[in-house]
Amino acid sequence: MFTRFLTTVTAFGLTAGMVAADYKLTILHTNDFHSRFEPISKYDSGCREGDNAEGKCFGGSARLVTALADARRRSNNSILVDGGDQFQGSLFYTYYKGKVAAEMMNKMGYDGMTVGNHEFDDGPEVLRGFMDAVEFPVLMSNADVSAEPHLADVLQKSTVIERGGEKIGLIGLTPEDTHDLASPGKNISFSDPVAAVQGEVDRLTALGVNKIVVLSHSGYRVDQEVAAQTRGVDVIVGGHSNTYLSNQSEKAAGPYPTMVNGVAIVQAYAYGKFLGELNVTFDDAGNIKVAAGEPLIMDGNVVEDSDTLARIGELAQPLDEIRNKVVAETAAAVEGDRTVCRIQECQMGNLVADAMLQRVKDQGVTIAIANSGGIRASLEPGAVTMGEVLTVLPFQNTLSTFEISGEGLIAALENGVSQVEEVKGRFPQVAGLKFSWDASVAPNEGRVQEVMVATDAGFAPIEAAKTYLVVTNNYVRNGGDGYKIFAGEDKNAYDFGPDLADVLAEYLAAQGPYQPYVDGRISQK
């Protein structure tokens, strides 16, 4: 089946029977929710007391419940799907793992979701527990799970649902580099998304399914590649890159939907700040005639559902003592937005790297490297609670110290800037060194131009043969985000230091009102 997109449709020349054969479907969608069951601030962090009542905050499960009910009333046929990464991002996940996500998604009536890389943060066993609890299929087409006992014969590549008398095929996609991003274990192998999708499309079309939606946690760029290189896909509901698509905002990365090869690609930013609403009209052959819509912002104008609000409050009670404790103060907002920190030096990156280095410098450690993917929010000015710190650093990573040569450090930095065009989380934030890099050079072919390390006498050029003591987090030290050069048993490593969030909280507390800054430690030529 080849899909096609017609920008205008008129009734001229169509018989009444042909018009009646048109099928309209509303695709409601979320992605990268990251356990934001409570409202968030404009910084994507926790919503401070009183701000939500004043209409200053966004999202939260209670608003989504209301918005979904309203959207369903506007449509004769609708489905609700998710683009992955329901797990991780707040104390709700730290405390409950996937149980609250399962409860809320069941309440909202999801019809399917794809596996995001963060669904593997605690291994296949926790993902399986979530799958057993939800009332909808969880999908992943581009992986072989046959050797993983928790997922074999349970995790499907695709499924078929019915709505309004029509069959709709759903196909799941997960990042091909999930082994670099999470902890799926050694029993799962990931594969090329294009081939995986085409294989499932061919299987579904052979079954007579002519309306196919890919749920893709692969990022906006990969989604466009999949659309361009496959046939038979109608819609791609995306995730992973936290991309905001819109026809109304200058901040959007592209139109909603983005049309590629007749495929309608959508994504709705992250953290429940928007509910995606795509209205599609198919002809009798399953071809798209019209695809239009806009992400709906979940702001203070969306009334929170009272029952959901009460339930979230009940679930929050065990967490409140931890997260409401004020641990520090900032003199100004600390920028931690992924669109900044994943491509350049940023205020939050400096704060995190400085805090890491300060904690272990008395052990002779002189360099800190933090992956920007571990930084998940900014901080508002004023009092900082532990809950806000945990929103910035939600992954329960521990400090890791190790030895590596200057040559190895240069290679690590090359890895860090190798995927900056894709805004990947491996971009390095650093302390105790500074470096420059050139985006015009091909990845891993000498982008890093100059590396200087801090000494008692000031900064000096890094020495390739010298051994340096470095601190990072245990995820990166063990090869996460592509930092495989840090892994191995030959590094005299200690991976079981204090929790990174605790380190940051203690560092902030010692600073007085913290003044965020950048100082040119990372420069681009």
CSV table of all heavy atoms in Angstrom, one decimal, residues 140-170:
chain,number,residue,atom,x,y,z
A,140,MET,N,7.3,-3.2,20.4
A,140,MET,CA,8.7,-2.9,20.0
A,140,MET,C,9.1,-3.8,18.8
A,140,MET,O,9.3,-5.0,19.0
A,140,MET,CB,9.7,-3.1,21.2
A,140,MET,CG,11.1,-2.7,20.9
A,140,MET,SD,12.2,-2.7,22.4
A,140,MET,CE,12.1,-4.5,22.9
A,141,SER,N,9.2,-3.2,17.6
A,141,SER,CA,9.5,-4.1,16.5
A,141,SER,C,10.9,-4.3,16.2
A,141,SER,O,11.3,-5.3,15.6
A,141,SER,CB,8.8,-3.4,15.2
A,141,SER,OG,9.4,-2.2,14.9
A,142,ASN,N,11.8,-3.4,16.5
A,142,ASN,CA,13.2,-3.5,16.0
A,142,ASN,C,14.1,-4.0,17.1
A,142,ASN,O,15.2,-3.5,17.4
A,142,ASN,CB,13.7,-2.1,15.6
A,142,ASN,CG,13.7,-1.1,16.7
A,142,ASN,OD1,12.8,-1.0,17.5
A,142,ASN,ND2,14.7,-0.2,16.7
A,143,ALA,N,13.7,-5.1,17.7
A,143,ALA,CA,14.5,-5.8,18.7
A,143,ALA,C,14.2,-7.3,18.8
A,143,ALA,O,13.1,-7.7,18.5
A,143,ALA,CB,14.3,-5.2,20.1
A,144,ASP,N,15.2,-8.0,19.1
A,144,ASP,CA,15.1,-9.5,19.3
A,144,ASP,C,15.1,-9.7,20.8
A,144,ASP,O,16.1,-9.6,21.4
A,144,ASP,CB,16.2,-10.2,18.6
A,144,ASP,CG,16.1,-11.7,18.7
A,144,ASP,OD1,15.1,-12.2,19.5
A,144,ASP,OD2,16.9,-12.5,18.2
A,145,VAL,N,13.9,-10.1,21.3
A,145,VAL,CA,13.8,-10.4,22.8
A,145,VAL,C,13.7,-11.8,23.1
A,145,VAL,O,13.4,-12.2,24.2
A,145,VAL,CB,12.7,-9.6,23.4
A,145,VAL,CG1,12.9,-8.1,23.2
A,145,VAL,CG2,11.3,-10.0,22.8
A,146,SER,N,13.9,-12.7,22.1
A,146,SER,CA,13.7,-14.1,22.3
A,146,SER,C,14.5,-14.8,23.3
A,146,SER,O,14.2,-15.8,23.9
A,146,SER,CB,13.9,-14.8,20.9
A,146,SER,OG,15.2,-14.7,20.4
A,147,ALA,N,15.7,-14.2,23.6
A,147,ALA,CA,16.6,-14.7,24.6
A,147,ALA,C,16.4,-14.1,26.0
A,147,ALA,O,17.0,-14.5,27.0
A,147,ALA,CB,18.0,-14.5,24.2
A,148,GLU,N,15.4,-13.2,26.1
A,148,GLU,CA,15.2,-12.5,27.4
A,148,GLU,C,13.9,-13.1,28.0
A,148,GLU,O,12.8,-12.8,27.5
A,148,GLU,CB,15.0,-11.0,27.2
A,148,GLU,CG,14.5,-10.2,28.4
A,148,GLU,CD,15.3,-10.6,29.7
A,148,GLU,OE1,16.6,-10.4,29.7
A,148,GLU,OE2,14.7,-11.0,30.6
A,149,PRO,N,14.0,-13.9,29.1
A,149,PRO,CA,12.8,-14.6,29.6
A,149,PRO,C,11.7,-13.7,30.1
A,149,PRO,O,10.5,-14.1,30.0
A,149,PRO,CB,13.4,-15.4,30.7
A,149,PRO,CG,14.7,-14.8,31.1
A,149,PRO,CD,15.2,-14.2,29.8
A,150,HIS,N,12.0,-12.5,30.5
A,150,HIS,CA,10.9,-11.6,31.0
A,150,HIS,C,10.1,-11.1,29.8
A,150,HIS,O,8.9,-10.7,30.1
A,150,HIS,CB,11.5,-10.4,31.8
A,150,HIS,CG,12.1,-10.8,33.1
A,150,HIS,ND1,11.4,-11.3,34.1
A,150,HIS,CD2,13.4,-10.8,33.5
A,150,HIS,CE1,12.2,-11.6,35.1
A,150,HIS,NE2,13.4,-11.3,34.8
A,151,LEU,N,10.6,-11.1,28.6
A,151,LEU,CA,9.9,-10.4,27.5
A,151,LEU,C,9.6,-11.4,26.3
A,151,LEU,O,8.7,-11.1,25.5
A,151,LEU,CB,10.7,-9.2,27.0
A,151,LEU,CG,11.1,-8.1,28.0
A,151,LEU,CD1,11.9,-7.1,27.3
A,151,LEU,CD2,9.8,-7.5,28.6
A,152,ALA,N,10.3,-12.5,26.2
A,152,ALA,CA,10.0,-13.4,25.1
A,152,ALA,C,8.6,-13.9,25.1
A,152,ALA,O,8.0,-14.2,26.2
A,152,ALA,CB,11.0,-14.6,25.3
A,153,ASP,N,8.0,-13.9,23.9
A,153,ASP,CA,6.6,-14.3,23.7
A,153,ASP,C,5.6,-13.4,24.4
A,153,ASP,O,4.4,-13.8,24.5
A,153,ASP,CB,6.4,-15.8,24.2
A,153,ASP,CG,7.4,-16.7,23.5
A,153,ASP,OD1,7.6,-16.6,22.3
A,153,ASP,OD2,7.9,-17.6,24.2
A,154,VAL,N,6.0,-12.2,24.9
A,154,VAL,CA,5.1,-11.3,25.6
A,154,VAL,C,5.1,-10.0,24.9
A,154,VAL,O,4.1,-9.4,24.6
A,154,VAL,CB,5.5,-11.1,27.1
A,154,VAL,CG1,4.5,-10.1,27.7
A,154,VAL,CG2,5.4,-12.5,27.8
A,155,LEU,N,6.3,-9.4,24.6
A,155,LEU,CA,6.5,-8.2,24.0
A,155,LEU,C,6.3,-8.3,22.5
A,155,LEU,O,7.0,-9.0,21.8
A,155,LEU,CB,7.9,-7.6,24.3
A,155,LEU,CG,8.2,-6.2,23.7
A,155,LEU,CD1,7.2,-5.2,24.2
A,155,LEU,CD2,9.6,-5.8,24.1
A,156,GLN,N,5.2,-7.6,22.0
A,156,GLN,CA,4.9,-7.8,20.6
A,156,GLN,C,5.5,-6.7,19.7
A,156,GLN,O,5.9,-5.6,20.2
A,156,GLN,CB,3.3,-7.6,20.4
A,156,GLN,CG,2.5,-8.5,21.2
A,156,GLN,CD,1.0,-8.2,21.1
A,156,GLN,OE1,0.4,-8.2,20.0
A,156,GLN,NE2,0.4,-7.8,22.2
A,157,LYS,N,5.7,-7.0,18.4
A,157,LYS,CA,6.3,-6.1,17.5
A,157,LYS,C,5.2,-5.1,17.0
A,157,LYS,O,5.4,-3.9,16.8
A,157,LYS,CB,6.9,-6.8,16.3
A,157,LYS,CG,8.1,-7.6,16.6
A,157,LYS,CD,8.6,-8.3,15.4
A,157,LYS,CE,9.8,-9.2,15.6
A,157,LYS,NZ,11.0,-8.4,16.0
A,158,SER,N,4.0,-5.6,16.8
A,158,SER,CA,2.9,-4.8,16.4
A,158,SER,C,1.6,-5.4,16.8
A,158,SER,O,1.6,-6.5,17.4
A,158,SER,CB,2.9,-4.7,14.8
A,158,SER,OG,2.7,-6.0,14.2
A,159,THR,N,0.5,-4.7,16.6
A,159,THR,CA,-0.8,-5.2,17.0
A,159,THR,C,-1.9,-4.6,16.1
A,159,THR,O,-1.6,-3.6,15.4
A,159,THR,CB,-1.1,-5.0,18.5
A,159,THR,OG1,-2.3,-5.7,18.9
A,159,THR,CG2,-1.4,-3.5,18.7
A,160,VAL,N,-3.1,-5.1,16.1
A,160,VAL,CA,-4.2,-4.6,15.4
A,160,VAL,C,-5.3,-4.3,16.3
A,160,VAL,O,-5.7,-5.1,17.2
A,160,VAL,CB,-4.7,-5.5,14.3
A,160,VAL,CG1,-5.9,-4.9,13.5
A,160,VAL,CG2,-3.6,-5.9,13.3
A,161,ILE,N,-5.8,-3.0,16.3
A,161,ILE,CA,-7.0,-2.7,17.1
A,161,ILE,C,-8.1,-2.3,16.1
A,161,ILE,O,-7.9,-2.0,15.0
A,161,ILE,CB,-6.7,-1.5,18.1
A,161,ILE,CG1,-6.3,-0.2,17.3
A,161,ILE,CG2,-5.5,-1.9,19.0
A,161,ILE,CD1,-6.1,1.0,18.2
A,162,GLU,N,-9.3,-2.2,16.6
A,162,GLU,CA,-10.4,-1.8,15.8
A,162,GLU,C,-11.1,-0.6,16.4
A,162,GLU,O,-11.2,-0.4,17.6
A,162,GLU,CB,-11.5,-2.9,15.7
A,162,GLU,CG,-11.0,-4.1,14.9
A,162,GLU,CD,-12.1,-5.1,14.6
A,162,GLU,OE1,-13.3,-4.7,14.7
A,162,GLU,OE2,-11.8,-6.2,14.1
A,163,ARG,N,-11.5,0.3,15.5
A,163,ARG,CA,-12.2,1.5,16.0
A,163,ARG,C,-13.2,1.9,14.9
A,163,ARG,O,-12.8,2.1,13.7
A,163,ARG,CB,-11.2,2.7,16.3
A,163,ARG,CG,-11.8,3.8,17.0
A,163,ARG,CD,-12.2,3.4,18.5
A,163,ARG,NE,-11.0,3.5,19.4
A,163,ARG,CZ,-10.5,2.5,19.9
A,163,ARG,NH1,-10.9,1.2,19.7
A,163,ARG,NH2,-9.5,2.6,20.8
A,164,GLY,N,-14.4,2.0,15.2
A,164,GLY,CA,-15.4,2.4,14.2
A,164,GLY,C,-15.6,1.4,13.1
A,164,GLY,O,-15.8,1.8,12.0
A,165,GLY,N,-15.4,0.1,13.4
A,165,GLY,CA,-15.5,-0.9,12.4
A,165,GLY,C,-14.3,-1.0,11.5
A,165,GLY,O,-14.3,-1.8,10.5
A,166,GLU,N,-13.2,-0.3,11.7
A,166,GLU,CA,-12.0,-0.3,10.9
A,166,GLU,C,-10.8,-0.9,11.7
A,166,GLU,O,-10.7,-0.6,12.9
A,166,GLU,CB,-11.7,1.0,10.3
A,166,GLU,CG,-12.7,1.6,9.3
A,166,GLU,CD,-12.6,0.9,8.0
A,166,GLU,OE1,-11.5,0.4,7.6
A,166,GLU,OE2,-13.7,0.8,7.3
A,167,LYS,N,-10.0,-1.6,11.0
A,167,LYS,CA,-8.7,-2.1,11.6
A,167,LYS,C,-7.6,-1.1,11.5
A,167,LYS,O,-7.4,-0.6,10.4
A,167,LYS,CB,-8.3,-3.5,11.0
A,167,LYS,CG,-9.3,-4.6,11.2
A,167,LYS,CD,-8.9,-5.9,10.6
A,167,LYS,CE,-9.9,-7.0,10.9
A,167,LYS,NZ,-9.4,-8.3,10.2
A,168,ILE,N,-6.9,-0.9,12.6
A,168,ILE,CA,-5.7,0.0,12.6
A,168,ILE,C,-4.5,-0.8,13.1
A,168,ILE,O,-4.6,-1.4,14.2
A,168,ILE,CB,-6.0,1.2,13.5
A,168,ILE,CG1,-7.3,1.9,13.1
A,168,ILE,CG2,-4.8,2.1,13.6
A,168,ILE,CD1,-7.9,2.8,14.1
A,169,GLY,N,-3.5,-0.8,12.4
A,169,GLY,CA,-2.2,-1.5,12.8
A,169,GLY,C,-1.3,-0.5,13.5
A,169,GLY,O,-1.1,0.6,13.1
A,170,LEU,N,-0.8,-1.0,14.7
A,170,LEU,CA,0.1,-0.2,15.5
A,170,LEU,C,1.4,-0.9,15.5
A,170,LEU,O,1.5,-2.1,15.8
A,170,LEU,CB,-0.4,0.0,16.9
A,170,LEU,CG,-1.8,0.6,17.1
A,170,LEU,CD1,-2.1,0.7,18.6
A,170,LEU,CD2,-1.8,2.0,16.5
